[in-house]
Amino acid sequence: AAMVQKLGKTVGACPPTLPFPLLDIEDLCKARSLKTCEAVVADLGPPGAKDVDACRPVIQPLLDKLFNGKIKGQGLDLVGQLKAARKEMFEFIDVQNCNPIMVRLGWHDSGTYDKRRTEFPDMGGANGSIIYAPELNHGANNGLNKAVNFLKPFHKDYPLISWADLIQMGSAVGI
């Protein structure tokens, strides 16, 4: 953090105290077993960092998820979960640089639509069915299991969001 601060960077989850993406902070908290906001700032922040309260709103939900069994979407209605997931997904897709595969997943999920069929789910479309083996294992969908795996933590953290909506959100955010 001290080097990033010297470079004048003001990016990350809680700049200038924690100038790292939230996903990196999550990995470091797991690896170093950092279970309090104070421990995170002391371990990951620049020497002498004391601005724990400014980082608490960002870091505490992450620590709750990692160590207290809470899920991110807990206590939020569907709209709240959609907004929170979208915000988190922007950072995730940017950090992972997985834009193309997320767009491809959304495209292939919707590509099963057949206007000649009138009954749901026979008509296909963007219904989330690509997460199931018969469709995911189809040759045209080769490699999309990686994108589905990217979305599994989101589905766990935001249980009110359907697979269909999550896949299409990933595609839209990827664009």
Side-chain angles (χ1 to χ4, degrees):
M3 182 59 71
V4 174
Q5 206 172 38
K6 284 180 185 177
L7 295 172
K9 300 285 185 186
T10 56
V11 297
C14 186
T17 306
L18 296 172
F20 310 106
L22 199 54
L23 291 170
D24 291 349
I25 293 171
E26 180 175 347
D27 290 343
L28 290 166
C29 287
K30 283 189 246 178
R32 299 177 184 182
S33 195
L34 303 174
K35 297 183 179 181
T36 67
C37 291
E38 290 77 10
V40 172
V41 170
D43 195 76
L44 304 179
K50 294 182 177 28
D51 202 6
V52 176
D53 289 333
C55 296
R56 194 174 306 280
V58 176
I59 301 304
Q60 193 59 55
L62 172 69
L63 296 175
D64 286 343
K65 176 190 148 209
L66 291 176
F67 302 110
N68 299 329
K70 294 182 181 177
I71 58 171
K72 292 178 186 176
Q74 192 171 7
L76 298 175
D77 64 358
L78 177 59
V79 173
Q81 286 194 13
L82 286 165
K83 288 178 179 179
R86 181 178 178 265
K87 181 179 178 186
E88 185 180 336
M89 198 173 287
F90 267 106
E91 181 177 345
F92 176 83
I93 288 175
D94 186 47
V95 169
Q96 294 295 321
N97 196 26
C98 60
N99 308 60
I101 199 166
M102 299 307 287
V103 172
R104 183 169 168 244
L105 180 66
W107 173 258
H108 281 248
D109 187 43
S110 65
T112 59
Y113 177 73
D114 184 348
K115 72 176 183 175
R116 297 171 295 180
R117 297 181 182 224
T118 58
E119 297 294 318
F120 182 81
D122 290 340
M123 67 178 61
N127 58 14
S129 61
I130 197 161
I131 68 167
Y132 299 108
E135 192 171 333
L136 191 58
N137 294 334
H138 186 277
N141 297 330
N142 191 28
L144 289 178
N145 59 327
K146 184 175 184 176
V148 171
N149 287 334
F150 281 152
L151 292 178
K152 283 181 179 178
F154 288 92
H155 191 258
K156 182 181 174 205
D157 289 341
Y158 303 102
L160 297 180
I161 303 175
S162 71
W163 269 108
D165 289 339
L166 201 55
I167 289 167
Q168 296 309 313
M169 179 189 291
S171 181
V173 168
I175 290 173

